Amino acid sequence: MSKTYRHFETSAIHAGYDAKTMDGSLTTPIFQTSTFTFESAEQGERRFAGEEDGYIYSRLGNPTVAALEEKIAALENGERGLAFASGMAAVSAILIALTKANDHILCSSGLYGCTFGLLTMLEDKYNIRHDFSEMETKEDIRSLINDKTACIYVETPINPTMKLVDLRLVAEVAKEYGIPVVVDNTFSSPYLQRPLELGCDVVIHSATKYIGGHGDVIAGLAVGQKDFLDQVAMTTQKDIGGIIGPMDAWLLLRGLKTLPVRLERHCDNAEKIAAHLKAHPAVKHVYYPGDADHPDYALMQQQMKRGGGVIAFEMEGTKKDAQSLLNQLQFLKIAVSLGDAETLIEHPATMTHAAVPEKNRLEMGITDQLIRLSVGLEAWEDIWEDLQQALDWCSSKSHNKTMTETEKLVR
Ligand code: LCS
């Protein structure tokens, strides 16, 4: 395990790197190389045989990537980290490592659309079945575990509905059966939530989001016990090959240094925006775990530091009204992804979760009127001003529509 410091903020900057080993370079050098030379044929043989430490080929390991893996392990309080080409490469490597044909996976009641797609593919090709559960009580979980259950897979907060899952509760039940719990911690980042400290076994990130933080890299990370991640490194990671490049690893190392500062600001802004959204007549419902009215607010306080930077809200009206809101925005960006400096807004039913069949989508709570807002680092007043003018427009349009319909009736 790499050296950690007393405070997360210090580890985010210093963990996993010793400038003395890199000629005093303040920042981690980018080892932009595909392969590493051996001094002799015998050295090559020893490295391949695992008898001598040292790099071989960048798909098997690279010093810049290793620095990132050490840092994320330190921040998640795990034994080993692994870096991947994308969040989905991390999700697929871990799920493939944990399952075999005919197994079963128990999942939280909502998942990112492509994770849902991966589960569907695993079922179609290898008969690896899955169930969804709200996981509100121990009995909810126990009732869906069977002798084929290979792991429990949880997102919390869930993309995009912002429901939470009680990680301590899930970990306690999983221990009864000796089943590993995998947590996709993308929406929280290790600054707000550390699932391994709550008894879970593996943490996954789409590092594309808060960890990168600047909308310029696609990447994934996994953290867990060394034995298991060593096995993943030598099997699904090495042989499927979804590894990260050195430049992208460096961008994540840079992003991580400011993670605590950015997250505090994301949370400050999101709290203010959520409160204003709640008061607007065009908004039917706001789902933000940092809001005291959120059904999981008490749970948020137990397992997260703050509510995070993502808000989901339901518009009054129809899908068209939800789309109109996006179209009326002046500077906020219509885009999927989240956790960037820019505020990003999207329509999950037709974007991130468009590939999820309507029945499953509605069961997950993703209606046509649901909007997901990743609150950025701009001044919250400017974010609200843009949202407000778009919401006002939606309200006045529905008001006008009602008037016209009434007028028609009168005539
Ligand atoms: N897990 C979660 C919770 C995610 O939100 C995403 C991507 C992934 C895994 C996959 O990560 P990637 O391969 O994209 O790095 N979520 C996206 C989203 O909500 N909008 O765009 C991508």
Side-chain angles (χ1 to χ4, degrees):
M1 207 187 292
S2 74
K3 177 171 168 21
T4 48
Y5 297 80
R6 198 144 61 85
H7 292 101
F8 186 98
E9 290 79 352
T10 311
S11 294
I13 296 169
H14 292 284
Y17 182 62
D18 180 0
K20 286 206 283 294
T21 63
M22 297 286 174
D23 291 324
S25 174
L26 177 67
T27 62
T28 313
I30 304 170
F31 282 80
Q32 193 69 45
T33 185
S34 56
T35 197
F36 296 83
T37 59
F38 306 129
E39 283 167 9
S40 65
E42 289 74 14
Q43 185 182 51
E45 183 180 10
R46 287 195 301 278
R47 295 239 174 126
F48 269 89
E51 292 161 9
E52 177 185 299
D53 284 344
Y55 291 98
I56 295 175
Y57 181 66
S58 280
R59 179 157 44 75
L60 313 180
N62 171 288
T64 314
V65 175
L68 169 65
E69 292 176 340
E70 286 218 14
K71 196 188 285 283
I72 192 64
L75 297 180
E76 284 287 3
N77 209 356
E79 288 178 4
R80 178 162 186 194
L82 279 184
F84 294 85
S86 68
M88 286 318 301
V91 174
S92 55
I94 296 297
L95 284 182
I96 291 170
L98 285 173
T99 55
K100 58 183 186 322
N102 305 317
D103 273 350
H104 170 250
I105 303 173
L106 180 58
C107 304
S108 51
S109 63
L111 292 173
Y112 170 55
C114 294
T115 305
F116 182 89
L118 173 69
L119 289 170
T120 308
M121 182 176 81
L122 291 175
E123 178 158 21
D124 291 348
K125 288 177 85 85
Y126 308 113
N127 192 34
I128 299 172
R129 291 170 311 98
H130 55 268
D131 279 306
F132 295 103
S133 167
E134 297 287 338
M135 301 190 182
E136 277 174 5
T137 64
K138 288 190 172 179
E139 222 19 71
D140 278 351
I141 305 167
R142 287 188 191 119
S143 67
L144 288 169
I145 290 179
N146 62 50
D147 58 359
K148 296 280 182 199
T149 307
C151 68
I152 300 183
Y153 187 93
V154 173
E155 270 180 29
T156 180
I158 294 175
N159 183 0
T161 53
M162 304 310 289
K163 290 183 201 161
L164 304 192
V165 177
D166 185 338
L167 292 178
R168 279 194 192 88
L169 181 97
V170 175
E172 274 171 31
V173 179
K175 293 254 161 350
E176 292 171 11
Y177 296 84
I179 298 169
V181 180
V182 181
V183 180
D184 184 329
N185 202 25
T186 299
F187 272 48
S188 298
S189 91
Y191 179 65
L192 297 180
Q193 174 173 275
R194 287 184 289 284
L196 302 180
E197 292 176 0
L198 303 172
C200 302
D201 301 280
V202 182
V203 169
I204 290 176
H205 285 282
S206 167
T208 314
K209 314 294 173 357
Y210 288 106
I211 289 179
H214 293 75
D216 48 17
V217 59
I218 298 276
L221 295 166
V223 184
Q225 281 178 1
K226 186 172 179 312
D227 286 355
F228 173 61
L229 287 193
D230 283 352
Q231 180 206 321
V232 174
M234 292 312 290
T235 56
T236 47
Q237 194 197 36
K238 171 173 79 69
D239 296 337
I240 295 178
I243 52 108
I244 195 171
M247 180 68 204
D248 285 349
W250 187 86
L251 285 168
L252 298 187
L253 283 166
R254 184 168 70 167
L256 276 169
K257 290 185 190 183
T258 56
L259 181 75
V261 187
R262 288 185 285 108
L263 252 298
E264 287 293 340
R265 169 80 173 204
H266 281 298
C267 293
D268 286 346
N269 280 357
E271 283 171 11
K272 297 209 174 67
I273 299 295
H276 280 77
L277 282 170
K278 276 173 76 178
H280 199 284
V283 176
K284 194 155 74 180
H285 211 97
V286 174
Y287 307 94
Y288 177 59
D291 166 16
D293 291 336
H294 189 285
D296 297 326
Y297 181 68
L299 178 57
M300 184 285 289
Q301 290 179 307
Q302 284 164 33
Q303 67 184 24
M304 294 172 72
K305 193 177 165 81
R306 295 183 69 181
V310 181
I311 302 170
F313 60 96
E314 214 139 7
M315 294 283 292
E316 292 287 358
T318 61
K319 170 178 157 187
K320 269 274 152 275
D321 294 288
Q323 290 181 319
S324 298
L325 172 75
L326 270 55
N327 291 333
Q328 286 307 311
L329 292 166
Q330 288 178 350
F331 86 94
L332 300 183
K333 304 290 183 253
I334 306 174
V336 295
S337 203
L338 55 110
D340 293 334
E342 295 83 356
T343 295
L344 304 179
I345 193 161
E346 68 118 2
H347 183 239
T350 57
M351 296 179 186
T352 45
H353 292 70
V356 178
E358 190 181 11
K359 176 178 167 291
N360 302 85
R361 192 159 51 70
L362 292 174
E363 276 167 12
M364 288 181 185
I366 306 171
T367 62
D368 281 350
Q369 294 90 311
L370 191 77
I371 305 261
R372 189 185 76 189
L373 182 71
S374 167
V375 181
L377 302 176
E378 303 95 338
W380 75 267
E381 294 90 338
D382 292 336
I383 302 172
W384 176 243
E385 192 177 284
D386 199 7
L387 278 170
Q388 188 179 30
Q389 63 78 26
L391 288 164
D392 287 350
W393 185 90
C394 292
S395 302
S396 69
K397 199 179 119 255
S398 63
H399 178 68
N400 285 345
K401 195 168 74 193
T402 322
M403 290 297 285
T404 332
E405 276 158 12
T406 316
E407 279 164 16
K408 269 193 221 148
L409 282 176
V410 171
R411 272 192 228 125

